[in-house]
Every structure is written in structure tokens, then in C-alpha cells.
């Protein structure tokens, strides 16, 4: 493999000598002065730089200091090619950021040997740094790197006055999972959840981290609260669909997570006197409080915690601004408005998805193509999804019907299950009729679940706009 080496030397004859001597190892790029060198670096960062001390208009020592201070070149070794000798020069060269120096005229074998050594050291350094910033089990960034990325993104959000969402994730009853299946299976489960989170956070700037044993985090730049809620709901839905078994969970028969969401909103959470450290601390505290609330209120859900400077939204304040919140029979409008933080689009999407997903709900004995145990498990999972969806929307009666069906299923009470399923359908029909009676109709009931529209991943439209 040919290495990418940049030579910076004002003497064209010396440049040609270096190119010929390095031919077995690399096909170097050449720059005759500092300006040309910076243009070459802007096009592509080299693996190693060979630098002359005497350049037109610039001393090599000064250029070396500038290159060494460039974050892009943090791990790029710089070797001086020089006719100068003496202890004071050697000290100054090394202190300016150079890793070695080779006297002119260079000898080909010595030049190649020293270049190979520095290239290998640079490779090992990069690998070690990557290891120091990566969780060895999941491959996610670790807590150290998480804090660096969070501070960097918050600083950028503060400068550009853009939103940023933070989601903390905790696997529900994970200790019981390890007790049931063993720590090896627990590690595998954690890796699968980590991979699922990465598929839900698809944008280049998004970062997923492991910050504790079973604690994970997502940093979502350019994402307001509505977009953060969409990602949180996508995670819950994806995990429900994957349904990795967890027989000792006290929430469901499969692995679930609880999520705490907080958002940095430029209009309310940023001012010129607030330090990035204070913003990070406040955001982390709010996300942690939201996670605690999600776990205390039943787990397998997300909770959003708004900023201290921002008042909790109410329907009255929304209506004053000309917005409308659809009133649907069977849904507590005030409760749904608060839980979804006034996000009308998300509310409409979730209602449409609820009515579509459970239109074909039937009791286990009617699954003719399934064995009894398989049908029971499938029905239990659907009830779990129904209960969670109803809870998110504030459909408290529908949620209690689903919980009652779960109880009847545990007692194998087929008659009660059939009665509750009929009642659930009657309730869904009333909700559907209520939706269709709204004028103007706020949404169409889709034949297939709709995609969330809040966080576009289309190139050129990378900022979520609810």
C-alpha cells in the first residue's frame, strides 16, 4: 500500500530526490511553500510530512508550529529535512512539534527506514486513541468520548443557536436478564440494543454512547424536542418489533428500555452568559430526571423534561397562537397535549398508527396458523404495544382494557378475553368515527403505518423541523 506523504521544500531538485528515494514506499505530493502546503492539506490530510527548514517567505520552524497546532494534523508526524546541525536547532525543532529530523542530503535507505518507523508509530497511536474512546463490548463511543462530543456539539449549538436533543437509555430489569440467561447472553443483548440505537440515529452528526453498565445515550444535534420524541418513539417501536425474549422482566415478556429526553432549545435555554459546562450539566440533569420518571411510571416508555426557563405548554397557550389540538373521543386531550409537548404532528401520527395497527386484533384461539403457545405470546405482545400506545396518547380507558385483557390472558379466561377484545374494537371504532367527524379532517387514516416526518435524513435537509 502506498502511503500519502507530503513534501514541503522550496528546492525542486531536492523535492525530486525525495520523490525518487521514497518511490518504493509512497508517491509523495509536493509543495514548494507554506501556501501550497496548506492547499494540499485542505484537499487531503497526509499521513506524514517532510518539511525543509528554509522556505520562501517562511521559516520551517514557524510552519511546523502552525501545522502542529492544527487539529486535523494532531497525529500526523512531521520530519525535518535540513542542512542545519547543532544542539540548539535540534531542541527548537523538536519543541516546535517535529518528531525527527534527517540531514541533507538524505540517504534513501535511512530516509525510508525513519519514515516507516514514524508511519507505524502514528498508526499505533491512532489505534490506541480509538481504543481509549470506544467501548470494547458494543463498539459505541465510551463515556469519556461522550462527554467530549456533548460539549463540542453544545458549543456549536450555542454559537449557531440551534437545538440539540439528549436521550438517556436504560435497559429495564437488566440484572434479572443476566440472572436468567447469564452474563454472556447479557453482553449479546446489550450489543443488539446498541446496534438498534445506531439504526435509529441515522444522521452523520448523531452519536450513540455507552456511559454505564446498561446505560446508553444518544446525542442528536440540530434536533428540537419534537424530533427527539420521534427518535425515542422509533426506538421503542423498533425494540417491540425485535422483541428479544426476557422472561423475568416485570414489564413485558421481552427486553424493553426506558428513555429520558431533554432538549436544548435556543429560544429559551441559551444566553451569552451561560457556559457550555453549565448547559451540559443542566441538560444532563433534565434527561436523568426524565429517565427516572419513565422508570417510576412503569418503564418501557419515554418521558420528556422541558427546560427550566420554558413554561410547560398548555392547550390554552397553544390556541392563543392559532394552533388546534384535535379532540378525539377516548383520548384525554389535556393529558396527550402535555405528554407530547404540544407536538400536533406526532399526535396525529400516533393516533393514525394506533387505529391502523390494532384493526385486526383477535384473541389467541382465532390464530388458526399458530400453535397455542405461539398464539398466546403473539397476543401478549400486541396487548403490550396497545397498552403502551394508549398510555402515550392519554387514552386511559383503552389502556385499562388492554391491561384487563393481559390479566385475563394470565388466567386463561377465554370468555373474558373475547369480551375485552370486542370492547377494545368498539372503543377503537368510536375513536375512528370521532376522527372522521372532525372538520376539517386533520389527517387520513392510513392503510399502513405512517413514517415519522420530523427528522429528515435527506441530504441538504439535515435539520429537523417539527
Amino acid at each position: 500500500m502506498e502511503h500519502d506523504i507530503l513534501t514541503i521544500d522550496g528546492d525542486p531538485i531536492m523535492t525530486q530526490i525525495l520523490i525518487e528515494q521514497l518511490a518504493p514506499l509512497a508517491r509523495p505530493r509536493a509543495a514548494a511553500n507554506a501556501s501550497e502546503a496548506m492547499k494540499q492539506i485542505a484537499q487531503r490530510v497526509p499521513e506524514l510530512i517532510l518539511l525543509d527548514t528554509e522556505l520562501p517567505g517562511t521559516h520551517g520552524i514557524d510552519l511546523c508550529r502552525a501545522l502542529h497546532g492544527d487539529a486535523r494534523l494532531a497525529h500526523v508526524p512531521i520530519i525535518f529535512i535540513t542542512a542545519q546541525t547543532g544542539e540548539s536547532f535540534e531542541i527548537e525543532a523538536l519543541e516546535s512539534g517535529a518528531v525527527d529530523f534527517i540531514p541533507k542530503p538524505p540517504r534513501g535507505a535511512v530516509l525510508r527506514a525513519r519514515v516507516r518507523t514514524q508511519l507505524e508509530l502514528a498508526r499505533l497511536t491512532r489505534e490506541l486513541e480509538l481504543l481509549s474512546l470506544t467501548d470494547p463490548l458494543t463498539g459505541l463511543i465510551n463515556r469519556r468520548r461522550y462527554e467530549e462530543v456533548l460539549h463540542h456539539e453544545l458549543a456549536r449549538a450555542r454559537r449557531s443557536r440551534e437545538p440539540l436533543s439528549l436521550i438517556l437509555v436504560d435497559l429495564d430489569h437488566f440484572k434479572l436478564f443476566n440472572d436468567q440467561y447469564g452474563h454472556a447472553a447479557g453482553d449479546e443483548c446489550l450489543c443488539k440494543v446498541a446496534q438498534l440505537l445506531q439504526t435509529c440515529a441515522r444522521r452523520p452528526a448523531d452519536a450513540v454512547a455507552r456511559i454505564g453498565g446498561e446505560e446508553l445515550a444518544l446525542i442528536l444535534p440540530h434536533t428540537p424536542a419534537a424530533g427527539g420524541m420521534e427518535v425515542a418513539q422509533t426506538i421503542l417501536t423498533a425494540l417491540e418489533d425485535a422483541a428479544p425474549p426476557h422472561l423475568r422482566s416485570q414489564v413485558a415478556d421481552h427486553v424493553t428500555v426506558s428513555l429520558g429526553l431533554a432538549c436544548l432549545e435556543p429560544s429559551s435555554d441559551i444566553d451569552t452568559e451561560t457556559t457550555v459546562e453549565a448547559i451540559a450539566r443542566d441538560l444532563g440533569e433534565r434527561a436523568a430526571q426524565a429517565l427516572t420518571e419513565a422508570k417510576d411510571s412503569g418503564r418501557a416508555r419515554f418521558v420528556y423534561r422541558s427546560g427550566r426557563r420554558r413554561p410547560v405548554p398548555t392547550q390554552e397557550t397553544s390556541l392563543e397562537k392559532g394552533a388546534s389540538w384535535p379532540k378525539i373521543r377516548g383520548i384525554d386531550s389535556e393529558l396527550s397535549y402535555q405528554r407530547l409537548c404540544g407536538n400536533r404532528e406526532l399526535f396525529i401520527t400516533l393516533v393514525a398508527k394506533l387505529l391502523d395497527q390494532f384493526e385486526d386484533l383477535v384473541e389467541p384461539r382465532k390464530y388458526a396458523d399458530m400453535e397455542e403457545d405461539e398464539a398466546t405470546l403473539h397476543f401478549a405482545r400486541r396487548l403490550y404495544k396497545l397498552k403502551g400506545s394508549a398510555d402515550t396518547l392519554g387514552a386511559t380507558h383503552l389502556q385499562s382494557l388492554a391491561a384487563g385483557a393481559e390479566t385475563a390472558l394470565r388466567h386463561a379466561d377465554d370468555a373474558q378475553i373475547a369480551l375485552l377484545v370486542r370492547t377494545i374494537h368498539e372503543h377503537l371504532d368510536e375513536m375512528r368515527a370521532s376522527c372522521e367527524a372532525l372538520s376539517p379532517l386533520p389527517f387520513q387514516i392510513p392503510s399502513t403505518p405512517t413514517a415519522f416526518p420530523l427528522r429528515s435524513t435527506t441530504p441538504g435537509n439535515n435539520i429537523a423541523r417539527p
Side-chain angles (χ1 to χ4, degrees):
M1 182 185 74
E2 288 190 341
H3 293 280
D4 186 4
I5 296 174
L6 176 63
T7 67
I8 309 174
D9 198 307
D11 183 351
I13 296 178
M14 180 54 64
T15 298
Q16 188 59 38
I17 291 173
L18 292 173
I19 291 174
E20 291 175 359
Q21 291 183 344
L22 291 170
L25 185 64
R27 185 179 298 170
R29 292 181 285 152
N33 52 52
S35 177
E36 289 183 16
M38 298 311 294
K39 289 178 182 178
Q40 291 273 10
I41 291 169
Q43 291 175 0
R44 187 172 69 251
V45 174
E47 295 177 63
L48 182 141
I49 295 174
L50 294 174
L51 176 61
D52 187 17
T53 52
E54 301 298 331
L55 296 171
T58 307
H59 195 281
I61 294 290
D62 296 330
L63 180 56
C64 184
R65 289 196 182 97
L67 294 174
H68 187 65
D70 190 328
R72 297 171 299 173
L73 307 174
H75 298 300
V76 176
I78 301 173
I79 299 177
F80 271 116
I81 305 291
T82 179
Q84 295 189 37
T85 58
E87 182 178 337
S88 61
F89 168 75
E90 293 179 11
I91 294 173
E92 188 177 16
L94 294 172
E95 288 180 346
S96 69
V99 296
D100 199 358
F101 51 91
I102 299 173
K104 289 183 178 181
R107 291 173 293 169
V110 173
L111 173 65
R112 289 190 294 273
R114 292 194 175 186
V115 166
R116 283 196 191 96
T117 298
Q118 293 302 328
L119 287 171
E120 179 64 12
L121 287 173
R123 183 186 67 81
L124 293 173
T125 299
R126 287 193 299 269
E127 289 184 359
L128 285 172
E129 179 161 334
L130 182 62
L131 288 173
S132 72
L133 300 175
T134 305
D135 175 59
L137 176 63
T138 62
L140 302 177
I141 61 174
N142 60 16
R143 188 176 191 97
R144 173 189 165 192
R145 181 58 178 160
Y146 156 78
E147 291 178 351
E148 291 176 354
V149 172
L150 181 61
H151 279 69
H152 173 76
E153 292 296 344
L154 285 174
R156 183 162 62 177
R158 183 189 184 201
R159 287 194 304 270
S160 57
R161 301 194 68 79
E162 292 177 348
L164 179 146
S165 288
L166 174 66
I167 302 177
L168 299 184
V169 184
D170 190 82
L171 276 70
D172 296 326
H173 302 298
F174 192 62
K175 182 180 183 301
L176 295 177
F177 185 96
N178 284 329
D179 292 344
Q180 174 72 22
Y181 301 101
H183 287 279
D187 289 347
E188 183 180 355
C189 173
L190 194 58
C191 289
K192 288 180 178 178
V193 173
Q195 186 176 14
L196 183 144
L197 295 184
Q198 289 179 302
T199 62
C200 294
R202 300 182 299 273
R203 300 190 311 180
D206 296 343
V208 185
R210 183 186 182 193
I211 58 174
E214 64 268 25
E215 298 174 5
L216 309 170
L218 293 89
I219 302 171
L220 308 174
H222 316 297
T223 304
M229 286 188 282
E230 179 240 331
V231 173
Q233 184 62 46
T234 300
I235 292 169
L236 293 173
T237 302
L239 195 53
E240 288 171 6
D241 292 339
H246 186 354
L247 297 179
R248 292 191 63 183
S249 172
Q250 299 173 15
V251 180
D253 60 357
H254 60 273
V255 174
T256 60
V257 296
S258 299
L259 305 102
L261 166 65
C263 181
L264 174 73
E265 296 285 5
S267 60
S268 59
D269 294 329
I270 297 178
D271 58 57
T272 56
E273 297 180 358
T274 306
T275 65
V276 173
E277 290 73 17
I279 295 172
R281 185 167 55 252
D282 175 68
L283 190 67
E285 288 175 355
R286 285 193 278 125
Q289 290 167 0
L291 177 60
T292 299
E293 291 177 23
K295 293 162 75 172
D296 290 346
S297 59
R299 301 178 187 263
R301 68 195 66 206
F302 76 85
V303 169
Y304 168 65
R305 188 87 173 191
S306 61
R308 298 192 183 101
R309 301 188 184 95
R310 191 173 186 176
V312 177
T314 64
Q315 291 190 67
E316 289 73 16
T317 57
S318 178
L319 290 174
E320 288 173 3
K321 298 176 181 178
S324 61
W325 192 257
K327 294 186 181 299
I328 298 173
R329 188 169 182 179
I331 293 180
D332 185 325
S333 297
E334 186 67 31
L335 187 58
S336 64
Y337 191 92
Q338 290 182 359
R339 286 184 177 174
L340 298 177
C341 299
N343 187 341
R344 187 176 183 276
E345 284 186 71
L346 184 58
F347 173 75
I348 289 170
T349 302
L350 291 179
V351 171
K353 189 175 181 181
L354 171 72
L355 295 175
D356 178 76
Q357 278 192 327
F358 301 101
E359 187 175 10
D360 60 347
L361 181 71
V362 294
E363 57 264 36
R365 60 187 177 86
K366 291 187 178 181
Y367 287 96
D369 57 340
M370 293 185 185
E371 297 292 333
E372 182 179 353
D373 290 346
E374 184 182 2
T376 300
L377 181 59
H378 180 74
F379 182 67
R381 286 176 175 167
R382 298 208 70 191
L383 288 178
Y384 167 76
K385 292 182 181 180
L386 175 59
K387 189 170 64 171
S389 299
D391 178 58
T392 299
L393 288 169
T396 52
H397 183 54
L398 185 61
Q399 182 185 3
S400 65
L401 290 173
E406 284 183 328
T407 302
L409 185 65
R410 284 195 293 270
H411 292 88
D413 189 340
D414 291 343
Q416 183 67 7
I417 291 173
L419 174 61
L420 286 167
V421 169
R422 285 198 302 273
T423 307
I424 286 171
H425 278 295
E426 291 171 0
H427 199 73
L428 291 173
D429 288 342
E430 290 178 356
M431 290 176 63
R432 187 175 288 103
S434 177
C435 292
E436 294 171 351
L438 290 173
S439 180
L441 189 64
F443 55 87
Q444 297 291 332
I445 305 303
S447 58
T448 57
T450 57
F452 289 102
L454 304 175
R455 257 174 58 94
S456 172
T457 56
T458 305
N461 185 23
N462 201 34
I463 298 179
R465 294 182 177 87

